Amino acid sequence: MVHTRALLVNSPTALIDVGAIPLFSRKRLLKQVVIQGRNAIVVKGDTISFAADSFATKAGDVVEDLLKLLPGIQVDASGAITTQGKKVQKVLVNGEEFFGTDPTIATQNLPSSVVETVEVFDGKTAQEEFTGFSGDADSKVINLKLKKGMSKGAFGKVASAGGWEDRWEQKALVNKFEDKEQISGYYLSSSNGTANASWEEGEQYGIGDQNYSWNPFGGSAPHGITKSWKTGARYTNKMDSTFLGNTKQEFQASYGFTRSSLTKDERSNTENLLPGNTFYKKDSAQSKALSDAHNIRLRYEADLDSQVRIIYNSNVNFNNGENTSYSTSDNRNNAEQPISFNRRNNNNTTKGNTTRNSIDINKKFNKEDRKLAFDLDYNTNNSNSTGKLLSTNGLNLLNGGNYILLDQLKTSDNATRTISSKIVYTEPLSKRWHMKFSYAFRNERNDNRSITSDTSGYGADNYQNQLDSLSNIFENTNRTHTPGIVLRYKTDKWQFDLENEFNFTRLIRRDLLRNNNLDFNQYNYVPRASVRYKLSKYSSIRLSYNGNTRAPSANQLQPFQDNTNPLSVVVGNPNLRISYSQRINLYYNSYAPIEGNNTGLGLNVGNTINQIGTNRFFETSGRTVTTYVNLPNTYSASLWGYTYNKLGNSKFKLGTNADGDYNYTPNIINGVAGYNEGIDVTVKPSLNYFDNDLLSAGLALGVKYNNSTNKGNADRTVAYFSYAPAIDLTFFFPQFITVSTNMSYEYTPAVGPYNTPFSRLIWKPEISKQFLKDKSLIVKIEIFDALNQNRGYTRQNDVNYNTESFYNTLGRYWMIGASWNFFSGPMARKRSGGDEQDKSGQGWVRKKKAIETQ
């Protein structure tokens, strides 16, 4: 509606009529002023900024509590963060890594009250960020901008907890920074797996594989019982200097040490499908492992001037390990008659080290978007191991039996050297057209020496008889040249990318033990193309095509037997060819930053030519011989989608995640070709409610359909539904008391070769209270798996076999502990205060008053 009003202007000559002036209604004007005045949410390009003070947090809250209030951001019980359907892989503070690569270090320890702005943007490599040529990122990054004056002082955390069944957990973190200088240190230890909770920490501290098994709905349970100890320190400094003529420098150095022990107890049942036959295998294994790892990281960054930047990174790891295991395998035919068995003891010690060194030189020119980037990497990987194998084996048991006793020493030395470089030049052809030229070179040299010896002819414990059929001395060199060109057309609505790469690969292979050499050259054309259209400022659709090659690994090429388990022998194939994969992706995304609503839909279709797979031959004696081969084409397709929407003006959010996968994989069994088809469909709707002074509630219903079919050389179809509902409740009571409970249920039915159903209900209650004026002391009591039903279980349907596995994992335990967050400087002053009566559990107070009023 347009309102008009006549304005009279005093004039010595006449009255002046300025015409009709359009005005907003007061309601509409007020609404606009409130939104723009607060600047609560600002969107610029792919970056969304949230003003932290626009979202009400409580005294003592950390950044994780703030993130839960921001529209479009989800934080699960483990601290993992997602937004717009993508996982947040990194959390920065003032644009820099805070305590390493684990996001939870910052989100669970930094007070929310010191944050001014939370920025969310796409994750990109350094070269993508510099050149501006990047596709749709598959991850997000959060940057926390601190308030003025907060980049001074120190903060840290000390925590300790202990309880029943040898469960304990300790944590000590300290971080001191003075504007551009930061010093930090940490100590973490646990016997309940919490010190190994994230793969990001594994990457940072050199822990390696944490033996996690993923269930169909995204949860995980660790194989075995883990105890770990981690400690380290980090130093960062930004300096202005005249060194090399630069005006700005940044130096980072860190050291980390990790020790972990793992005790595992596993057993499995496998149905092997053969042409016209089936046999069954039972396996069991008990093992103990201890590993130590040292990690050193260095980073130096210098701006020589406003146009040239140099970045140097170095990462060095040293690791040692010991492993002792006892395992058994028993094979039976359809009539449950034994046909072969294996009993073996393995004792192994390993040592290794890796180095990664890279230097990046980025050059800008006076012409906008004209850039030159050069990367040079030199990496090494050295490992050696020594192991003793004592094995008792029985083959062909139906015909009298053939028994084999093995007492062998196995030594292995492996050295890999890789040098690679890439140069990228970008040129703006016009306002809308850009060109990128690139050339990459990679040379990888692998020297592998694997020797198996026994005591024949030399006496007990004298392993001097080298077994050439089980040994290998190999040299592999993989040399690749990759020129490429990208043409980009970009407007406000459209973006087209057309990329052409040419791979010129030469493989040089030397079998020094058998004097058998095999070299070959291969040329591949790798096209890529994409088109993106912005439907609106916050929604877009993207279509892309990608191709890539994969060379066989050194172990797949080496023509010698691995007889660690004589019932299952693996032989390499020096005639393997490089495989080529191609994929077509269609992706739609819509995001409403004010409400936090977002929707995504994706379709992926692909196939692989010369897929590297296996040819398995099952002998009547009960032995399996597997060799690597290039298979016919494989095909795959996936359709997935998610939606996360706020329900009106309420605090409820409704979400749904769904995905479906199809895979077609050819195989060869006993010389007969066949294939496996797999279909998996998962639907997981969820409903969440969050009020930070009342309660947080989440309900998720997971349903999965699994269908696996083997055809050709064997016929079997396994199809079933499995279910995994979960509920998570957290109550924020007055006096800063928090009570939470989490329950998750899993059910998998008996079907096909799986004779019994599997189910478990895991319940985790917890209560905590905050103390002290700044609420920095927290005392907590928790019970994990209160009903004692946490059992390790997985199913696998693949190629020509179906396997169910059982393994030990953490069961019921309770712990009581306390944690104290300490601060000094501006952070301490900002964090102090907090009236228990006014700022804790006010939702319950409001409800009580409402009832009294009624």
Side-chain angles (χ1 to χ4, degrees):
M1 179 178 181
V2 178
H3 299 272
T4 62
R5 180 180 178 183
L7 298 179
L8 298 179
V9 181
N10 292 327
S11 170
T13 57
L15 296 178
I16 300 175
D17 187 354
V18 297
I21 300 177
L23 300 174
F24 293 107
S25 68
R26 291 181 179 178
K27 180 179 179 182
R28 185 179 175 189
L29 181 62
L30 180 61
K31 182 178 180 181
Q32 280 197 324
V33 170
V34 171
I35 293 176
Q36 294 180 352
R38 292 177 63 186
N39 286 325
I41 302 173
V42 177
V43 180
K44 184 178 181 180
D46 69 346
T47 301
I48 302 174
S49 300
F50 301 91
D53 286 345
S54 299
F55 302 89
T57 55
K58 304 188 302 293
D61 278 357
V62 293
V63 169
E64 184 174 273
D65 301 304
L66 170 63
L67 295 179
K68 292 177 181 179
L69 299 174
L70 303 184
I73 296 180
Q74 298 87 46
V75 183
D76 68 13
S78 67
I81 310 165
T82 56
T83 180
Q84 300 179 51
K86 299 176 182 179
K87 184 176 181 180
V88 174
Q89 301 282 26
K90 187 179 295 185
V91 174
L92 308 176
V93 176
N94 287 340
E96 303 292 338
E97 285 188 359
F98 185 59
F99 224 133
T101 56
D102 181 11
T104 62
I105 298 294
T107 60
Q108 296 180 356
N109 294 281
L110 193 65
S112 62
S113 56
V114 304
V115 178
E116 181 176 46
T117 306
V118 178
E119 296 179 334
V120 182
F121 48 87
D122 290 338
K124 300 175 183 177
T125 66
Q127 191 177 91
E128 288 176 336
E129 186 72 33
F130 176 72
T131 63
F133 277 79
S134 61
D136 281 353
D138 57 4
S139 66
K140 289 287 185 178
V141 175
I142 287 180
N143 180 40
L144 306 172
K145 284 190 173 182
L146 302 186
K147 295 176 180 177
K148 186 177 180 180
M150 290 300 156
S151 297
K152 295 182 179 180
F155 78 92
K157 184 174 186 177
V158 178
S160 181
W164 183 49
E165 290 290 328
D166 192 30
R167 299 281 79 84
W168 42 266
E169 178 183 352
Q170 282 88 42
K171 178 184 293 187
L173 306 166
V174 61
N175 198 314
K176 182 181 184 300
F177 47 104
E178 185 71 26
D179 290 331
K180 299 178 181 181
E181 187 177 35
Q182 178 186 351
I183 302 174
S184 57
Y186 64 89
Y187 171 79
L188 306 170
S189 67
S190 75
S191 64
N192 61 350
T194 58
N196 301 335
S198 68
W199 67 264
E200 293 90 350
E201 286 187 346
E203 171 70 17
Q204 179 187 3
Y205 305 127
I207 302 170
D209 180 19
Q210 294 305 310
N211 298 283
Y212 275 85
S213 176
W214 296 89
N215 72 26
F217 305 97
S220 63
H223 281 211
I225 306 298
T226 301
K227 298 180 180 180
S228 62
W229 300 260
K230 300 190 295 187
T231 187
R234 182 171 181 268
Y235 174 79
T236 301
N237 196 355
K238 291 184 177 181
M239 304 160 284
D240 294 332
S241 172
T242 58
F243 177 65
L244 293 179
N246 64 287
T247 57
K248 293 183 179 180
Q249 295 183 77
E250 180 179 350
F251 174 75
Q252 297 180 15
S254 66
Y255 167 78
F257 169 75
T258 298
R259 166 167 288 184
S260 60
S261 68
L262 176 65
T263 303
K264 293 198 294 185
D265 189 351
E266 305 171 278
R267 59 185 177 89
S268 63
N269 302 313
T270 301
E271 176 194 51
N272 287 281
L273 305 172
L274 311 179
N277 192 15
T278 301
F279 80 89
Y280 301 90
K281 183 162 70 84
K282 291 186 177 181
D283 296 290
S284 67
Q286 297 82 41
S287 64
K288 293 183 178 180
L290 178 67
S291 63
D292 292 342
H294 302 263
N295 174 258
I296 300 171
R297 288 191 177 191
L298 298 173
R299 176 184 172 88
Y300 175 77
E301 183 176 320
D303 291 331
L304 300 184
D305 54 38
S306 60
Q307 293 185 327
V308 179
R309 172 173 292 181
I310 297 177
I311 304 172
Y312 171 74
N313 283 285
S314 180
N315 189 342
V316 181
N317 289 278
F318 301 94
N319 56 77
N320 302 290
E322 299 177 3
N323 183 282
T324 302
S325 65
Y326 173 75
S327 56
T328 68
S329 293
D330 291 277
N331 293 323
R332 295 177 176 268
N333 61 16
N334 247 331
E336 286 294 316
Q337 297 171 308
I339 56 177
S340 63
F341 71 85
N342 167 258
R343 308 286 184 269
R344 63 185 183 275
N345 283 287
N346 273 293
N347 296 282
N348 292 283
T349 59
T350 60
K351 291 184 178 180
N353 62 79
T354 62
T355 64
R356 300 182 181 92
N357 295 277
S358 67
I359 184 168
D360 303 337
I361 302 175
N362 298 328
K363 165 68 175 174
K364 294 181 180 180
F365 296 90
N366 291 330
K367 186 176 181 179
E368 186 179 0
D369 291 334
R370 178 181 287 173
K371 300 174 182 178
L372 181 68
F374 174 74
D375 300 342
L376 178 64
D377 301 305
Y378 179 69
N379 303 323
T380 67
N381 189 339
N382 302 296
S383 64
N384 60 76
S385 65
T386 301
K388 284 188 177 181
L389 170 67
L390 297 175
S391 178
T392 303
N393 308 274
L395 299 170
N396 203 23
L397 300 181
L398 292 178
N399 297 305
N402 179 21
Y403 297 94
I404 304 172
L405 300 178
L406 299 179
D407 182 2
Q408 297 176 346
L409 178 70
K410 295 178 178 287
T411 61
S412 176
D413 293 281
N414 189 292
T416 301
R417 303 287 183 273
T418 304
I419 184 170
S420 60
S421 63
K422 187 173 185 178
I423 187 168
V424 174
Y425 174 75
T426 64
E427 176 67 23
L429 304 178
S430 68
K431 182 178 180 180
R432 295 183 175 181
W433 289 93
H434 288 70
M435 186 86 71
K436 182 180 83 169
F437 301 93
S438 65
Y439 168 77
F441 171 77
R442 178 183 176 86
N443 187 85
E444 181 178 300
R445 167 71 180 267
N446 175 264
D447 296 296
N448 186 286
R449 179 184 178 91
S450 299
I451 304 297
T452 299
S453 305
D454 65 17
T455 61
S456 299
Y458 293 92
D461 295 326
N462 194 0
Y463 300 93
Q464 295 191 44
N465 181 46
Q466 180 173 309
L467 303 175
D468 287 350
S469 63
L470 303 176
S471 301
N472 167 70
I473 303 176
F474 223 85
E475 293 179 357
N476 293 296
T477 300
N478 187 339
R479 188 172 298 136
T480 304
H481 301 266
T482 309
I485 183 172
V486 180
L487 183 64
R488 168 173 288 182
Y489 173 80
K490 186 175 183 180
T491 68
D492 292 339
K493 288 285 188 180
W494 290 94
Q495 178 176 308
F496 296 93
D497 284 317
L498 180 61
E499 180 176 359
N500 295 279
E501 275 190 358
F502 302 87
N503 289 337
F504 302 93
T505 301
R506 176 168 175 77
L507 289 178
I508 304 171
R509 291 175 284 188
R510 301 285 184 264
D511 185 346
L512 302 182
L513 187 62
R514 300 167 183 82
N515 195 27
N516 179 21
N517 303 328
L518 180 61
D519 305 341
F520 73 85
N521 298 321
Q522 181 157 326
Y523 310 98
N524 289 296
Y525 168 59
V526 184
R528 298 185 181 95
S530 67
V531 55
R532 183 177 64 187
Y533 176 69
K534 283 190 175 182
L535 301 169
S536 68
K537 189 175 181 179
Y538 306 118
S539 64
S540 63
I541 187 169
R542 185 174 189 267
L543 177 66
S544 65
Y545 170 86
N546 291 279
N548 66 282
T549 59
R550 178 194 170 198
S553 68
N555 288 336
Q556 293 171 334
L557 292 168
Q558 295 166 163
F560 79 103
Q561 295 184 5
D562 180 356
N563 76 328
T564 302
N565 179 2
L567 269 61
S568 181
V569 177
V570 179
V571 183
N573 178 6
N575 297 310
L576 287 176
R577 310 298 292 181
I578 293 176
S579 64
Y580 176 75
S581 299
Q582 51 190 350
R583 297 174 304 280
I584 296 176
N585 299 282
L586 179 64
Y587 175 61
Y588 165 79
N589 176 260
S590 176
Y591 179 57
I594 302 297
E595 299 83 2
N597 299 337
N598 59 88
T599 301
L601 183 66
L603 173 65
N604 180 304
V605 179
N607 81 301
T608 300
I609 302 169
N610 285 332
Q611 170 75 29
I612 300 174
T614 59
N615 179 3
R616 289 182 178 152
F617 191 82
F618 294 81
E619 301 175 347
T620 56
S621 64
R623 188 179 76 153
T624 303
V625 179
T626 301
T627 187
Y628 296 101
V629 296
N630 289 110
L631 296 170
N633 288 359
T634 65
Y635 300 93
S636 64
S638 62
L639 177 65
W640 56 269
Y642 67 88
T643 180
Y644 197 75
N645 295 289
K646 184 177 180 181
L647 298 181
N649 294 321
S650 70
K651 296 183 179 180
F652 286 96
K653 294 181 180 180
L654 180 64
T656 301
N657 284 275
D659 65 82
D661 297 293
Y662 169 82
N663 291 281
Y664 173 92
T665 307
N667 57 67
I668 303 174
I669 307 297
N670 286 9
V672 180
Y675 64 90
N676 172 268
E677 277 188 309
I679 299 175
D680 296 313
V681 179
T682 303
V683 179
K684 189 176 181 181
S686 62
L687 180 65
N688 294 276
Y689 176 88
F690 185 79
D691 183 334
N692 72 333
D693 62 357
L694 179 64
L695 68 90
S696 171
L699 173 65
L701 304 174
V703 180
K704 180 174 182 178
Y705 173 71
N706 179 286
N707 185 302
S708 179
T709 300
N710 290 284
K711 289 288 185 181
N713 49 33
D715 293 312
R716 161 75 82 173
T717 296
V718 179
Y720 58 90
F721 284 92
S722 52
Y723 308 92
I727 186 169
D728 192 356
L729 296 172
T730 301
F731 301 92
F732 306 108
F733 290 108
Q735 308 300 317
F736 285 90
I737 297 173
T738 301
V739 177
S740 65
T741 180
N742 174 277
M743 298 186 74
S744 59
Y745 177 74
E746 295 179 37
Y747 175 79
T748 306
V751 62
Y754 311 116
N755 297 321
T756 57
F758 174 81
S759 65
R760 64 182 174 189
L761 176 62
I762 300 177
W763 177 32
K764 182 184 176 183
E766 179 182 303
I767 183 170
S768 65
K769 177 172 172 54
Q770 294 174 260
F771 294 91
L772 304 182
K773 186 178 181 180
D774 61 356
K775 307 301 169 283
S776 59
L777 176 64
I778 302 175
V779 177
K780 180 172 66 174
I781 302 174
E782 63 178 337
I783 303 175
F784 175 78
D785 187 23
L787 303 179
N788 200 28
Q789 293 192 20
N790 191 31
R791 295 163 291 154
Y793 177 81
T794 58
R795 286 184 182 180
Q796 183 177 6
N797 309 302
D798 193 10
V799 188
N800 73 307
Y801 61 88
N802 303 296
T803 299
E804 61 177 352
S805 301
F806 305 85
Y807 53 89
N808 67 321
T809 187
L810 284 173
R812 178 169 54 198
Y813 69 87
W814 60 264
M815 286 204 309
I816 182 170
S819 63
W820 175 52
N821 293 277
F822 57 89
F823 300 84
S824 68
M827 279 192 179
R829 293 190 294 272
K830 186 68 179 177
R831 188 179 172 89
S832 64
D835 189 332
E836 292 189 6
Q837 298 299 324
D838 294 338
K839 297 190 177 182
S840 173
Q842 285 300 294
W844 301 105
V845 176
R846 290 196 304 268
K847 284 182 172 293
K848 181 181 178 182
K849 290 182 178 178
I851 294 174
E852 292 175 349
T853 301
Q854 293 175 358

